Amino acid sequence: MGKRSALVVLSSDDEEIDRSLSSNRGRTRSSSASRLISSAPAKNPGRAKKARVSGSRSSLGSVSTNWDEVRLSFGDFDEVFSGGSKVAAGSGRSNVKELWVEKYKPHSLEELAVHKKKVQEVKGWFEERLTDSKGKSSNHALVITGQAGVGKSATIHVIASQLAATLCEWNTPTPIVWQEHLYNSSTGVQYMSKLEEFENFVERVRKYGLIPSSLSEGSKSSIILLIDDLPVTNGKVAFQRLQKCLRLLVQSTRTPTAILITDHGKADSEDHTAGYLDELQLSLQSAGACKVSFNPITSNSIKKVLSRICKEEQCNVTAEQVDLIAKASGGDIRNAITSLQFFFLKPTPMHSLPSSITPPRYAKGKQAPWSAKGKSDMVNALDNSGSLQFGRDDTLSLFHALGKFLHNKRETEDSMELDGAAFHVREGLSRLPLKMDAPEKILCQAHGQARPIADFLHENVLDFVSEEAMDDAWSVASYLSDADLLLTTFCGMLSRQYEAENVLQSAGASVAVRGVLFGNFHPLPSRWHAVRRPNLWQVEKSSFYNKKEMVNRRFGAYSGTCSSDLTVIATEYSPVYKWLGFRAQGGLEDNVERMSLGDQESEIDDDIEEW
Amino acid sequence: MKAEGRIRIEKGKAAGRGRERVHDFPPLLPSEESKMLWVDKYRPKTLDQAMVHQDTAQNLKKLVAEQDCPHLLFYGPSGSGKKTLIIALIRQIFGPSADKVKVENRTWKVDAGSRTIDIELTTLSSTNHIELNPSDAGFQDRYIVQEIIKEMAKNRPIDTKGKKGYKILVLNEVDKLSREAQHSLRRTMEKYSAYCRLILCCNSSSKVTEAIRSRCLNVRINAPTDEQIVKALEFIGKKEGLQLPSGFAAHIAEKSNRSLRRAILSLETCHVQQYPFTSNQIIPSMDWEEYVSEIVSDIMKEQSPKRLYLVRQKLYELLVNCIPPEIILKRLLYELLKKLDAELKHEVCHWAAYYEHRMRLGQKAIFHLEAFVAKFMSIYKAFLIAAFG
């Protein structure tokens, strides 16, 4: 590949270059000398700037062959650049090296890491639409879903080039910065939201069809419309506009259209967009779109791609390392490739890794760390080693984390005991090792707040305690009460000390979680179980409401000259009013109804299944 | 007295009419007095009418007759007549204008460092006094104390003779105020003592800081004796034209736990339940008390996590109805002790005290209530197993 010898220009960060150079074995020695050399496009500041903008590869490739010459002829420039002029620094950063993700973009169907069947499915769909363009088939829209980095766009690009179709792509325009907006408005250009722009685009497509700007061969080449990136919608109204507009597009388009929707997965449960996107998919399907969902790429496919890249980059890497990276990426190939590249940038490559790595806690002394123990161990090893900073950190949904805590899975035997070195605790206090990461780590991944987590645990934990184990129930309850104390203190005196507040919060969450894990010594055998929303929230809300009602009623019934304490009202006056049937206006009955918990309780938010 | 002495509301919802928030309930005309609870109807209006604590009432009368009134701290158990005395005292000072009160839901905008806090609180005020429960504002109570006193100081009333007068601020449940609030109360008391007098009212003076107690005239209001309660009940009976069989009033008084309010309320409920009275008539207890004893029998019947969950739901029901958790715990303990073997009582009391303490420190009462119930279940279960195998 000719492009490989991309030039390295002076950068403000020498060390970085050092690393990239030393790690890249494929390069000739002379390239190490190139770090003081400006690239050819930087003949004058103006051009250098242009080069940065366009990032043109071709010129780099051709020039790089005779860069010695360049070096001679532009020797004086070196001084200028090493003087640290802005332009040099700017252009330096731009063409450091090509990203492998770009470089090894799939160009043929074979190179795609996506599952063959899915690719065939999509390709077949496009072929069908493109061959009988006279419109026998009614629907011309294809919705492709999948999490980030599973090759949705890449598949479409490859298929389009295979079918020799022109690909028209909608990408949401770049955001307008404030200065730009000021400039625009001074010249009379109205601001348009991205959603509006998208709507206009769709409108145009629907009315006039797609007319690619470079339509030289006339009707010969067929067109595929690709809507990559949907505009971000915020709020219900905007979302409904987007939905309506997409529905119209799906119903009326005559060109084969692929709409890509990135699944955020359930992980971001905080994010409402996830729910919106589901809704969007359903509505598009009901409008006649065909849906194909891409699964995360299997680690085998990723491995294949990675080893191919390794071969081409001529870097030697063991199968195990590739395996590790592939697993750590969680089915995201873009991430895997970037990780691989980053991995080879590191000053000390991973050759020594397997020996230096500390084995995961609970496998101590029993198994070689690399013996097959499944994915979680491997990933664990990655995290524990501290020498690998890549890989996607999995995010867990709050419910997943809660499920882990509540089900309280443990090893069947204690490996620590075999060690002999472990200190002994009193009988009844020792617990088997957890079959999960440290609870604090799970808490981090689940980005839950301490308070709601404690509430959720409190609401649900009793369902997971064995019927006989009353003592367990007590110790859990008492730990939760401790956690409540920790979570409370901050709101009074420490309100200014955010740091202390943070520590307290995490300590509180930790006590709650570990208390639940420790206290529940005899968990029920795991089974399917629904997690309830804390009833407590509803109780708090309605008691606040009732409080107001009560006080008002008291004042209303008695236009007297004193108010009473809420306690007295609640415990003495209200029952009497009830007894007396509230003679004054008989309005009590409604209130009584409102006061009870009634049917609002125990909505089931989400289910946990057995993990 | 002119209305200019009133505190104006900046942004309160009740800016117009004082009764706006409670418009569901039309104001009661004097002719509708029959619809008032007897507790309110027969509340002594003046210090002279006081039926219990006559000597205290007379002392208070003399005190304000000398034109200067110190800050006052009334303390004593619930239902002993603190509030009645306070109202009568205010009327004594300001005359009938103190009767014209209005209820407001006021919103204060408080500037607390970097942000402004909105605090909503119900107040009851006449031209000369304001009454409020600052502890309802939770941990923001200190702002309330500072703000309202400052505001009062700004609008200092001028009485008819052109002399500068003062206003009275009645603060209820001072013992529930946070420590910060009590401190700021102390400072404001000193600074603005020329403009306003404070009347503090609480159940137990032990939770009021020394600093405040020493700046106030402490008035202890004892719970009325059974005889006094009987006298009051008979007075009401006569006024209502009821036949009270002998011993019935004493029966109610005994059940009332020396709370006059409770006794009068019981009398009225009995009256609704069954009239003419019989001397051995069952006196209905409060519904929440019955509910607590139901919970207790649940607890005694079975001790398991599932039962604990059931109990939790019932506790929620009580909390929804604004029964304060401390009172729930107290009642729960009381009912449990009745059914308990003597050797367990000590331990159960210990744990009740332990969780009551934590409940005050903590935020979510249910966590601690439930922990107490769980502890009790665990103790009781162990006891049963040990006793019966």
Side-chain angles (χ1 to χ4, degrees), chain A residues 132-184:
Chain A
D132 55 62
S133 52
K134 290 296 150 276
K136 265 178 254 164
S137 49
S138 55
N139 58 337
H140 285 270
L142 178 71
V143 177
I144 299 181
T145 64
Q147 66 173 60
V150 295
K152 299 183 292 289
S153 320
T155 310
I156 302 288
H157 279 282
V158 170
I159 289 175
S161 68
Q162 285 276 309
L163 298 175
T166 317
L167 192 67
C168 292
E169 205 175 328
W170 162 264
N171 270 319
T172 304
T174 49
I176 293 175
V177 292
W178 179 241
Q179 274 84 358
E180 206 174 335
H181 171 69
L182 287 183
Y183 177 76
N184 279 350

Side-chain angles (χ1 to χ4, degrees), chain A residues 166-277:
Chain A
T166 317
L167 192 67
C168 292
E169 205 175 328
W170 162 264
N171 270 319
T172 304
T174 49
I176 293 175
V177 292
W178 179 241
Q179 274 84 358
E180 206 174 335
H181 171 69
L182 287 183
Y183 177 76
N184 279 350
S185 51
S186 71
T187 54
V189 179
Q190 281 285 313
Y191 173 75
M192 270 171 100
S193 80
K194 302 303 160 212
L195 184 57
E196 277 164 15
E197 284 183 42
F198 183 69
E199 275 175 340
N200 284 350
F201 166 78
V202 168
E203 192 72 8
R204 251 196 343 264
V205 170
R206 281 177 51 221
K207 284 196 177 130
Y208 314 113
L210 259 186
I211 304 156
S213 47
S214 57
L215 200 61
S216 46
E217 293 121 87
S219 59
K220 262 209 160 181
S221 82
S222 41
I223 303 166
I224 292 175
L225 173 62
L226 171 63
I227 295 176
D228 202 341
D229 205 8
L230 294 174
V232 175
T233 53
N234 199 354
K236 206 151 193 153
V237 182
F239 171 72
Q240 271 161 357
R241 271 169 64 193
L242 176 67
Q243 192 178 10
K244 190 173 147 223
C245 140
L246 279 172
R247 270 184 81 101
L248 284 174
L249 176 70
V250 166
Q251 279 163 348
S252 59
T253 180
R254 307 314 299 169
T255 42
T257 305
I259 302 169
L260 305 187
I261 298 178
T262 305
D263 265 343
H264 294 291
K266 288 253 165 72
D268 293 316
S269 54
E270 318 275 303
D271 204 355
H272 293 291
T273 49
Y276 282 154
L277 287 176

Side-chain angles (χ1 to χ4, degrees), chain A residues 456 459-460 463 529-534 602-604, chain B residues 309 312:
Chain A
F456 265 107
E459 176 68 35
N460 291 294
D463 294 337
H529 216 294
V531 166
R532 282 183 306 270
R533 200 172 65 130
S602 69
E603 282 168 42
I604 291 164
Chain B
Y309 182 70
R312 182 203 288 170

Side-chain angles (χ1 to χ4, degrees), chain B residues 55-257:
Chain B
D55 43 346
T56 318
Q58 288 310 316
N59 281 342
L60 286 172
K61 196 177 167 187
K62 270 182 235 153
L63 182 75
V64 294
E66 283 159 25
Q67 276 304 310
D68 202 14
C69 167
H71 299 304
L72 291 170
L73 169 65
F74 285 83
Y75 63 98
S78 132
S80 57
K82 301 180 292 290
K83 211 46 92 37
T84 308
L85 280 175
I86 291 172
I87 298 162
L89 181 68
I90 290 172
R91 188 177 291 113
Q92 185 74 38
I93 299 171
F94 297 112
S97 70
D99 282 342
K100 287 179 198 129
V101 291
K102 55 176 193 167
V103 180
E104 293 171 331
N105 265 309
R106 292 187 39 174
T107 311
W108 272 278
K109 287 205 177 298
V110 178
D111 194 24
S114 51
R115 67 224 155 92
T116 48
I117 309 173
D118 284 346
I119 303 172
E120 210 188 304
L121 209 63
T122 310
T123 64
L124 196 141
S125 57
S126 73
T127 46
N128 297 304
H129 88 284
I130 298 180
E131 179 174 348
L132 70 162
N133 280 1
S135 59
D136 285 356
F139 64 92
Q140 287 159 338
D141 49 6
R142 62 191 155 128
Y143 302 122
I144 289 286
V145 170
Q146 286 167 350
E147 283 301 302
I148 184 133
I149 296 181
K150 266 186 223 159
E151 241 185 87
M152 284 180 70
K154 265 188 248 159
N155 309 311
R156 194 172 170 186
I158 299 174
D159 72 0
T160 39
K161 289 167 204 146
K163 249 185 359 181
K164 287 199 170 178
Y166 54 82
K167 294 184 107 188
I168 283 188
L169 174 63
V170 182
L171 297 178
N172 290 325
E173 296 181 305
V174 197
D175 47 351
K176 285 191 186 160
L177 280 182
S178 66
R179 202 144 280 274
E180 291 90 350
Q182 294 200 19
H183 276 293
S184 70
L185 182 63
R186 184 198 122 177
R187 262 173 267 128
T188 23
M189 257 165 118
E190 279 173 351
K191 199 168 169 195
Y192 297 105
S193 62
Y195 312 104
C196 73
R197 298 284 175 275
L198 291 174
I199 297 183
L200 312 176
C201 179
C202 64
N203 284 343
S204 149
S205 66
S206 65
K207 279 173 193 145
V208 182
T209 56
E210 282 289 342
I212 290 180
R213 273 193 278 163
S214 85
R215 281 169 178 74
C216 294
L217 176 68
N218 293 8
V219 185
R220 181 178 155 76
I221 310 291
N222 290 320
T225 59
D226 283 357
E227 293 77 51
Q228 283 171 320
I229 293 178
V230 169
K231 226 172 82 190
L233 292 179
E234 277 165 355
F235 169 77
I236 291 171
K238 210 169 78 191
K239 284 266 178 180
E240 287 283 320
L242 303 174
Q243 293 290 323
L244 290 181
S246 66
F248 181 61
H251 187 39
I252 290 181
E254 185 198 339
K255 272 280 215 174
S256 69
N257 207 10

